[in-house]
Amino acid sequence: MNILQRLHRALAGAALLLMASASQAGDITVSAASSLTNAFQEIGRAFELVNPGERVLFNFGASGSLVTQITRGAPVDAFAAADQESMDKAQGAGAVDRATRFNFARNQLVIAVPMDSSHGIAGLRDLLKPAVARVAMGNPESVPAGRYARLALEKAGLWAEVKGRALNTINVRQALDYVSRGEVDAGFVYVTDALMMPKRVKVAAMVEVPEEILYPVAAVRGGGNYAGGKAFVQFLRSPAAVAILDKYGFGRP
């Protein structure tokens, strides 16, 4: 191979590296609570339409687990949680930019049951009925919906009795799946989750919780594309994003 050929190959290799770098630079990784899955997927597409060249990649899971990933160095550019506690932990660890944090949505905890349920569940105390053997709920240690459920049950003086029937799940969508398949008699989910399966799940009761269920979002430091993460966070304030959240049943903060 002569010098000219080697030069051409080197230039071609450099061009490929630049293209790969450009592609990666356009990626925005967003870690978000499982309950946001459908709404955020649509919001991501809307964001990409008005930001050509940008690509939004989502990582959905329990808010507590996502915080652990972020604080351990996972390459994340924006974080949306289903509770204030998870975001407070991320902020306390210096992982998110406090200046970009704001609440963008609210939700409502409900007791969901299979569509053909005949247990007559209309409130928390009905979960103590002999016919109610298993109740799905997110693990209170890492899943906000599970923590909200435990707080509500503790306030009602029912936690000690209900926890023996609880089937802990890794996120709120798994609790919804158990209810939809009839593998449990009831489950604690958000009203937005129940709306995703109107033919298989019905809301048996609204659940009062001691604190508002508000969803905070913030740009993440050190993820690799801070500017992109901040742009996605800001997009959640846009009329397009707000309309999508409304469509999926989320309230406004």
Side-chain angles (χ1 to χ4, degrees):
M1 182 183 301
N2 61 36
I3 294 176
L4 188 57
Q5 288 174 321
R6 286 200 296 269
L7 180 60
H8 284 167
R9 177 168 291 187
L11 289 172
L16 287 172
L17 285 173
L18 287 171
M19 289 174 63
S21 297
S23 174
Q24 292 170 1
D27 289 349
I28 302 168
T29 302
V30 179
S31 283
S34 295
S35 50
L36 291 166
T37 300
N38 302 79
F40 262 33
Q41 286 174 338
E42 187 167 338
I43 287 174
R45 292 191 291 271
F47 177 88
E48 291 171 348
L49 282 175
V50 296
N51 292 276
E54 299 281 5
R55 181 175 64 160
V56 184
L57 306 176
F58 289 108
N59 173 38
F60 296 106
S63 297
S65 299
L66 295 177
V67 171
T68 299
Q69 294 171 11
I70 292 170
T71 56
R72 289 181 178 176
V76 175
D77 304 307
F79 174 45
D83 65 336
Q84 301 300 313
E85 183 175 303
S86 296
M87 186 62 77
D88 288 344
K89 288 180 180 178
Q91 183 175 307
V96 301
D97 183 354
R98 179 180 181 179
T100 64
R101 176 178 175 174
F102 72 97
N103 297 325
F104 67 94
R106 72 170 62 242
N107 217 332
Q108 168 72 51
L109 190 71
V110 301
I111 299 174
V113 298
M115 188 58 72
D116 61 356
S117 174
S118 59
H119 296 322
I121 297 173
L124 292 174
R125 188 159 295 278
D126 291 326
L127 297 177
L128 302 182
K129 289 184 175 182
V132 180
R134 293 198 295 178
V135 179
M137 60 184 293
N139 184 340
E141 301 304 317
S142 59
V143 184
R147 185 174 66 83
Y148 291 132
R150 181 178 65 187
L151 289 172
L153 290 165
E154 287 175 343
K155 184 177 180 181
L158 302 173
W159 172 242
E161 295 175 90
V162 174
K163 71 177 181 179
R165 308 179 187 198
L167 177 61
N168 285 346
T169 63
I170 61 173
N171 56 54
V172 70
R173 285 297 175 91
Q174 187 178 50
L176 178 68
D177 287 341
Y178 280 133
V179 175
S180 70
R181 295 195 297 265
E183 295 177 9
V184 295
D185 301 297
F188 286 96
V189 301
Y190 298 117
V191 67
T192 54
D193 297 308
L195 290 172
M196 300 310 303
M197 295 186 174
K199 295 183 179 179
R200 300 171 65 182
V201 168
K202 60 184 177 182
V203 173
M206 297 290 186
V207 179
E208 270 193 46
V209 295
E211 58 190 71
E212 288 186 287
I213 302 178
L214 296 173
Y215 285 59
V217 67
V220 178
R221 301 180 185 276
N225 189 358
Y226 173 79
K230 186 177 180 180
F232 181 83
V233 168
Q234 293 173 337
F235 185 73
L236 292 177
R237 296 183 185 273
S238 71
V242 171
I244 292 170
L245 289 166
D246 287 347
K247 170 184 170 182
Y248 285 93
F250 288 93
R252 301 185 185 186

